[in-house]
Amino acid sequence: MTRIILRRLLMLVFVTAGVTVICFVISRLIPGDPAQLMLGARATPQAIIQLRAQLGLDQPIGAQYLTYVRDIFRGDFGTSITTRQPVLPELLGYIPATLELMLVAMILSIALGVPLGVLTAVRRNTWVDNFVRGLAILGISTPTFWLGLMLMLLFYAQLGWLPGSGRLDLGVSPPLHVTGLYVVDAALAGDSLAWRSAFNHLLLPAGTLALASIGTVVRLIRSSMIEVLGEDYIRTARAYGISKGRLLFVYALKNALIPFVTVLGLELASLLFGSVVIESVFAWPGVGNHVLGAILNLDFPVIMGFTVLASVVYVAANLLVDLSYLVLDPRIRSVG
Amino acid sequence: MNMVSIASLLPPALRGPLTLVAAAVVTVVCFAGLAAPWLTPYRPNAMDLNGVLQAPSWTHLAGTDELGRDLLTRILHGARPSVAAAFGIVGIGTAFGLLIGTLSGLLSGWFDTVVMRLTDVVMALPGLVVALALTAALGPSLFNAVVALGVLAVPAYIRVARGQTLALREREYVLAARSMGASTLHLMRAHVLPNVWPSVLVFMTFHLGAAILASSALSFIGLGAQPPDAEWGSMIGAGREYVLGHWWYATIPGVVIILTASSFNLLGDAMRDWLDPRLTRDAT
């Protein structure tokens, strides 16, 4: 078991090195001189030479890469060209909003996807099953950004049930900062007005992200439930007269959820990209929106900082997923 | 890449007809892309400032945009870049993935090790986020978006091709050819490639659906197709400004994307049932 963990950790080092190489190469692909870009068109040649030396751009490429990696490990992701602030603290400031969005999206897609997956597995090949699976097919073929616009059109513009942008209503002040997740902070502060406002604002963007991934969840749970329901121990449990609900949701689902953990890890990738697109649709003040602004302003330190951060988070999350298998499934432990 | 079967999720009776519908949709879309100039009386970039943001009517079946351009015309013309982008992404992935994957499987040794470690690294990354950064660095354009998404898709093709090659390598006829002194190049061309194709083709068709969604997403946020070019994703991007009060602008191109993407997905399934029957059993 230690060997598996060690091998995985080694892989993490490999991948992190890979990420930095890729990001470094990308940042060198940018047309034009970063020094020129930062100083503007009317800079004197002298100032440019000076800034180039200051940025280390006159060094050999290998040395530049090593400096780049060293700075990243120190948490120095460079300076934003537009705001002239250090990139990392600025990005971190936007993370709670995005984290709140992604967490609620994940909770929604599990809360809806798992029961639907169980339902379709139990009622296999009936109209319920076919209907839900038809929706799942449409789900994976629908662009997330378009879905967001349509939900906004329906629930905000037509019905007026939910707010269409931002995190809070005008005039509602954000709750005292504890975690940065407004729903949690408002609950901690006992501020029901802010809580309701924050929750209502979350529903559309988080719902869009959840709907985008729900198809995958339903199909995965369905196929692994069907597999588990065919096992001998389920038949034995049924013969013992254990109630159907307990059989499905305790005995079968527990094992059917194991492959699901992997999907959660992979799902994070689509949530990371989805947050860029969906935050822009719903004017959600998170990392994604910030990065989109950086893209439009060609603010490369911010774009690259986000890419490195997102990649490292993604790789680390998938490492956790792999390790959680060791806890969830004793059979893997003995094999390794 | 998501390889969970789709048609097998449908009742058997629907499989045939639905596949036909999907094939028809893809044909119509490809035809629209090629014949767009002759299909409508309007030009895609012809402005009519007296008729901006008109709702769908008999003169403008899909309405007009903020410059009075006919949206149906733009959707038809947009089929070309939208579908071509998907084919370009899949083409880059296939060309490099097939070559590197089969070589890697045949040669094994250090080449194989290096290739596998590299694919591990790239596949461990959140692909679309890296594609976003890569496109931004290359400069926003549909061509660069296609290059970025295509390059990032190569490792997945390498894995498919290599896996098939490894299985083929130990087959008697390949061993026989090798014992008679056949070169790696000959083995690849005569024995491996023809048999690796079916799996890759199935993978390609599924990928077309995902590729259309990815490239239109990059266009939506302004990194892909640039104005005034008509492309489905960028049309939705432009239409979002007017979504409140002018529903047709962003809605209709999205429906077209869904139809096209789901058709590719359904075709991928039919293709798998046809070319690679062994895989169908995996998805219950």
Side-chain angles (χ1 to χ4, degrees):
Chain A
M1 188 169 157
T2 5
R3 255 185 51 204
I4 302 182
I5 297 177
L6 280 177
R7 219 170 51 209
R8 289 294 172 185
L9 283 175
L10 197 69
M11 182 70 201
L12 183 68
V13 175
F14 254 121
V15 171
T16 317
V19 174
T20 55
V21 171
I22 290 173
C23 287
F24 179 73
V25 170
I26 292 178
S27 65
R28 298 298 128 160
L29 284 176
I30 302 162
D33 184 355
Q36 178 88 58
L37 217 68
M38 283 171 89
L39 290 173
R42 263 180 282 173
T44 60
Q46 214 147 23
I48 290 177
I49 291 169
Q50 206 173 1
L51 187 63
R52 281 180 64 87
Q54 205 185 326
L55 293 171
L57 291 170
D58 51 354
Q59 302 282 317
I61 197 89
Q64 282 189 35
Y65 172 69
L66 289 179
T67 320
Y68 176 78
V69 172
R70 191 196 64 202
D71 287 348
I72 284 179
F73 276 101
R74 285 181 181 164
D76 177 4
F77 283 50
T79 311
S80 160
I81 294 173
T82 33
T83 62
R84 308 220 167 250
Q85 296 292 313
V87 168
L88 189 62
E90 207 177 36
L91 278 177
L92 291 178
Y94 287 104
I95 279 186
T98 301
L99 192 67
E100 187 176 33
L101 191 60
M102 294 192 349
L103 279 177
V104 175
M106 223 168 220
I107 292 169
L108 278 177
S109 71
I110 294 171
L112 294 170
V114 171
L116 279 176
V118 174
L119 180 76
T120 49
V122 176
R123 299 245 181 279
R124 190 161 23 143
N125 297 329
T126 62
W127 69 268
V128 187
D129 186 22
N130 292 333
F131 180 71
V132 173
R133 280 146 72 204
L135 285 184
I137 294 174
L138 275 184
I140 61 160
S141 309
T142 303
T144 317
F145 53 89
W146 180 82
L147 187 64
L149 284 175
M150 292 302 112
L151 290 179
M152 185 200 261
L153 197 58
L154 179 65
F155 290 104
Y156 168 67
Q158 289 295 317
L159 299 170
W161 290 355
L162 292 169
S165 65
R167 286 182 85 183
L168 285 174
D169 289 307
L170 279 175
V172 177
S173 49
L176 189 71
H177 184 98
V178 185
T179 58
L181 315 180
Y182 282 1
V183 192
V184 177
D185 288 355
L188 286 177
D191 184 348
S192 68
L193 183 74
W195 191 88
R196 203 168 314 145
S197 179
F199 183 75
N200 283 341
H201 279 81
L202 263 170
L203 278 178
L204 277 184
T208 311
L209 281 174
L211 281 177
S213 57
I214 219 167
T216 325
V217 175
V218 171
R219 290 188 317 188
L220 196 93
I221 292 288
R222 178 181 183 274
S223 64
S224 68
M225 262 310 257
I226 287 174
E227 202 181 311
V228 171
L229 285 174
E231 300 267 352
D232 288 343
Y233 80 93
I234 293 292
R235 202 176 39 191
T236 311
R238 190 174 287 152
Y240 271 101
I242 285 162
S243 75
K244 192 158 189 195
R246 197 173 156 74
L247 190 82
L248 281 179
F249 287 98
V250 180
Y251 286 67
L253 191 59
K254 225 156 97 185
N255 279 329
L257 279 177
I258 291 177
F260 182 62
V261 180
T262 309
V263 179
L264 283 188
L266 296 175
E267 213 46 43
L268 188 63
S270 61
L271 280 178
L272 281 171
F273 180 73
S275 73
V276 176
V277 175
I278 284 305
E279 284 181 8
S280 113
V281 170
F282 290 101
W284 187 262
V287 183
N289 220 346
H290 178 58
V291 169
L292 199 71
I295 288 172
L296 299 179
N297 290 319
L298 297 179
D299 191 343
F300 283 100
V302 175
I303 304 172
M304 295 338 296
F306 170 70
T307 311
V308 172
L309 201 64
S311 303
V312 170
V313 165
Y314 180 63
V315 170
N318 279 299
L319 176 77
L320 279 181
V321 163
D322 286 345
L323 294 182
S324 72
Y325 269 104
L326 299 174
V327 180
L328 291 173
D329 194 340
R331 282 169 300 184
I332 298 175
R333 248 175 286 169
S334 56
V335 174
Chain B
M1 197 49 54
N2 204 328
M3 294 293 277
V4 183
S5 173
I6 293 167
S8 68
L9 297 174
L10 295 162
L14 266 179
R15 282 185 206 175
L18 214 70
T19 310
L20 286 179
V21 172
V25 170
V26 169
T27 315
V28 167
V29 167
C30 291
F31 176 73
L34 293 174
W38 297 281
L39 289 176
T40 81
Y42 304 101
R43 315 200 60 180
N45 294 330
M47 297 189 277
D48 172 14
L49 295 178
N50 295 320
V52 298
L53 292 169
Q54 287 182 345
S57 65
W58 285 115
T59 39
H60 296 286
L61 288 175
T64 62
D65 68 6
E66 75 277 20
L67 296 172
R69 297 174 294 193
D70 180 58
L71 279 170
L72 183 63
T73 305
R74 288 180 69 74
I75 289 173
L76 289 172
H77 280 265
R80 198 178 301 184
S82 305
V83 175
F87 276 103
I89 294 163
V90 170
I92 292 174
T94 311
F96 290 96
L98 203 56
L99 187 74
I100 300 172
T102 46
L103 261 182
S104 177
L106 278 177
L107 290 174
S108 59
W110 66 267
F111 182 77
D112 187 43
T113 313
V114 171
V115 167
M116 285 327 284
R117 287 294 84 78
L118 282 178
T119 54
D120 280 348
V121 168
V122 178
M123 290 191 80
L125 300 176
L128 284 170
V129 172
V130 179
L132 190 95
L134 195 53
T135 315
L138 292 170
S141 80
L142 190 59
F143 180 79
N144 289 340
V146 167
V147 169
L149 289 166
V151 167
L152 287 164
V154 170
Y157 283 89
I158 291 181
R159 283 205 181 166
V160 175
R162 178 179 173 271
Q164 286 293 106
T165 309
L166 285 182
L168 288 168
R169 214 170 65 152
E170 304 305 322
R171 298 283 282 275
E172 283 82 359
Y173 64 92
V174 178
L175 290 175
R178 187 172 281 203
S179 71
M180 285 158 74
S183 67
T184 304
L185 200 71
H186 174 80
L187 283 178
M188 203 166 124
R189 213 181 46 221
H191 299 297
V192 175
L193 279 182
N195 291 305
V196 169
W197 254 118
S199 314
V200 174
L201 201 62
V202 171
F203 190 79
M204 283 168 74
T205 323
F206 280 112
H207 189 203
L208 279 174
I212 268 206
L213 293 185
S215 62
S216 67
L218 287 184
S219 289
F220 172 78
I221 56 181
L223 283 174
Q226 299 298 311
D229 291 350
E231 193 268 355
W232 299 338
S234 58
M235 285 174 73
I236 300 176
R240 61 179 286 201
E241 306 295 330
Y242 306 95
V243 71
L244 306 179
H246 312 93
W247 63 269
W248 60 92
Y249 191 168
T251 307
I252 300 173
V255 173
V256 177
I257 293 181
I258 297 177
L259 275 176
T260 315
S262 53
S263 296
F264 277 128
N265 281 328
L266 287 168
L267 280 185
D269 244 18
M271 194 92 86
R272 164 164 49 199
D273 291 350
W274 176 47
L275 290 171
D276 210 350
R278 282 162 303 152
L279 285 170
T280 5
R281 259 181 287 128
D282 298 345
T284 318

